[in-house]
Amino acid sequence: MLGKIALEEAFALPRFAERTRWWAGMFAVNPDKHAAEINDITEQRIKYMDEYGVGFTLLSYTAPGIQDMWDSKEAHALAVEVNDYIAEAIKPHPTRLGALATLSMHDPKQAAEELRRCVTQLGFKGALVNDTQRAGADGDDMVFYDGPEWDVFWSTVTELDVPFYLHPRNPTGTIHEKLWAKRSWLIGPPLSFAQGVSLHILGMVTNGVFDRHPKLQIIIGHLGEHIPFDMWRINHWFEDVKKPLGLSKTCKKTIREYFAQNIWITTSGHFSTPTLDLCLTEVGADRILFSIDYPFENFHDACTWFDATELNDTDKKKIGKNNAANLFKLGDFKDRDA
Ligand code: GRE
């Protein structure tokens, strides 16, 4: 399919070569290739897009990124640097490349203002944040965005009318030490990423973020971070047990309604037809977006899988490009009408 849109696609800052190597050491079989691909914005990336029928890519700063920085001043300064850097880099390619804002999530007001700058002055299409923000004197605290103190931020997101991508990061501090250190092969895509993001998004659901901000649009990757598989059981326990026990005070709608009205899932890094079929049943084609997860995954696997998947033409176009083009209000991009 030509003109696909991909939106969980990472870049790094070339000056952080050592950091890129550290992360690649956990997640890339060929760290040199990975480093070259993640630092490139417009050469190899656009060649792959042309080869595999990707019309438009939305770029975001790689995990764990700013969410790994517990000094709030340093975190904000780097977020601004990253946003200015990528705005400049994509400028010559407005019909091929867009960007999602990188944000320091220490202070809801500051995060809201940087998002506003990125959207209104730099033309960014939304934000991507890597799960909880590390905080505290030694980085052992974690800031979740599901409490009322974040209402000022979510109000700005809905006022700007842009989506927010809740992306995973690695477990750190005491959580890492107690749960993952002796099970380190499970860190990342095998388990920890989905656990982190599903806890966070379901925290937003149960703490009433979507009831207070009914227009808010949140995207999660990896075909829904295990939640679609658990939809029936979550719904059963919310409706039949937790709501009679008090959950109904903060969470008025059903989990399926939040997925229909507020939550999107992408195919990033999860190229399985049986899982996609499950998601089509539990979430529906109107809420699924194609993505790759480059360079942690590759164009070939993502695109040849999606192109060969048997779907009716309408659903394939929705998932491959139309849903994302509408959600991000994209203008012209390559092969939009192909
Ligand atoms: C990502 O950022 O999406 C990612 C990683 C590491 C491994 C897999 C992955 O940062 O998808």
Side-chain angles (χ1 to χ4, degrees):
M1 180 180 156
L2 293 176
K4 292 187 289 296
I5 299 171
L7 51 126
E8 192 196 312
E9 318 305 329
F11 69 91
L13 284 191
R15 76 178 174 91
F16 288 132
E18 209 172 299
R19 223 176 141 59
T20 299
R21 285 221 149 252
W22 159 70
W23 195 250
M26 285 189 286
F27 298 115
V29 177
N30 183 342
D32 289 329
K33 180 168 180 266
H34 175 86
E37 289 183 342
I38 203 162
N39 286 324
D40 161 70
I41 309 288
T42 57
E43 302 297 323
Q44 183 62 53
R45 202 179 292 259
I46 291 181
K47 281 193 194 124
Y48 282 139
M49 288 168 66
D50 288 340
E51 186 178 350
Y52 290 102
V54 175
F56 197 77
T57 289
L58 275 167
L59 291 155
S60 49
Y61 188 51
T62 186
I66 311 296
Q67 275 59 64
D68 200 33
M69 302 173 71
W70 54 95
D71 182 295
S72 68
K73 270 199 186 136
E74 281 176 23
H76 180 64
L78 183 58
V80 171
E81 178 187 338
V82 167
N83 290 328
D84 289 344
Y85 167 79
I86 197 64
E88 212 41 52
I90 65 176
K91 229 181 226 170
H93 305 275
T95 61
R96 307 307 304 277
L97 302 174
L100 299 175
T102 294
L103 301 173
S104 161
M105 297 295 275
H106 285 278
D107 173 351
K109 265 198 194 141
Q110 185 182 57
E113 285 322 302
E114 179 60 6
L115 177 63
R116 186 185 298 283
R117 182 182 81 92
C118 289
V119 172
T120 61
Q121 293 176 33
L122 306 181
F124 289 11
K125 305 294 182 192
L128 181 143
V129 162
N130 300 303
D131 204 351
T132 55
Q133 175 71 53
R134 288 188 83 172
D138 56 3
D140 200 22
D141 287 345
M142 293 182 292
V143 179
F144 283 79
Y145 322 128
D146 57 4
E149 66 281 11
W150 281 86
D151 281 347
V152 58
F153 176 75
W154 297 124
S155 294
T156 304
V157 176
T158 53
E159 180 206 320
L160 294 169
D161 196 18
V162 291
F164 178 98
Y165 203 124
L166 189 63
H167 182 277
R169 74 168 174 89
N170 53 319
T172 47
T174 307
I175 297 284
H176 172 261
E177 197 182 301
K178 290 199 186 293
L179 299 184
W180 302 97
K182 290 189 186 153
R183 290 156 207 96
S184 61
W185 295 113
L186 299 176
I187 293 172
L191 187 62
S192 80
F193 281 180
Q195 281 203 352
V197 173
S198 56
L199 173 67
H200 207 157
I201 188 91
L202 292 173
M204 291 175 69
V205 166
T206 51
N207 286 348
V209 173
F210 297 112
D211 288 54
R212 297 195 296 281
H213 306 276
K215 289 193 181 150
L216 182 59
Q217 301 300 317
I218 304 285
I219 305 167
I220 56 176
H222 316 115
L223 285 178
E225 311 290 14
H226 301 179
I227 297 175
F229 181 87
D230 252 6
M231 197 71 87
W232 184 89
R233 186 163 159 82
I234 293 168
N235 183 66
H236 164 53
W237 275 80
F238 280 6
E239 299 307 310
D240 299 334
V241 182
K242 302 286 185 178
K243 284 194 179 173
L245 289 175
L247 172 63
S248 52
K249 285 193 197 80
T250 50
C251 178
K252 306 281 184 223
K253 301 176 194 169
T254 66
I255 183 71
R256 290 179 196 284
E257 287 172 320
Y258 295 110
F259 266 83
Q261 296 167 22
N262 303 105
I263 302 171
W264 302 77
I265 66 175
T266 76
T267 66
S268 65
H270 203 142
F271 314 131
S272 156
T273 302
T275 314
L276 179 64
D277 285 342
L278 169 89
C279 292
L280 285 164
T281 305
E282 290 291 2
V283 176
D286 288 343
R287 286 272 157 181
I288 303 176
L289 309 162
F290 174 74
S291 279
I292 300 168
D293 211 347
Y294 175 81
F296 299 98
E297 306 285 350
N298 63 65
F299 276 73
H300 179 83
D301 290 354
C303 297
T304 54
W305 166 73
F306 183 73
D307 290 350
T309 302
E310 284 188 30
L311 281 171
N312 67 63
D313 196 46
T314 309
D315 285 354
K316 196 156 204 167
K317 281 204 168 129
K318 279 184 187 174
I319 296 171
K321 59 175 151 187
N322 290 349
N323 287 344
N326 293 335
L327 177 64
F328 291 101
K329 300 193 273 297
L330 298 184
D332 188 32
F333 60 87
K334 189 179 184 206
D335 296 325
R336 186 183 173 129
D337 301 316

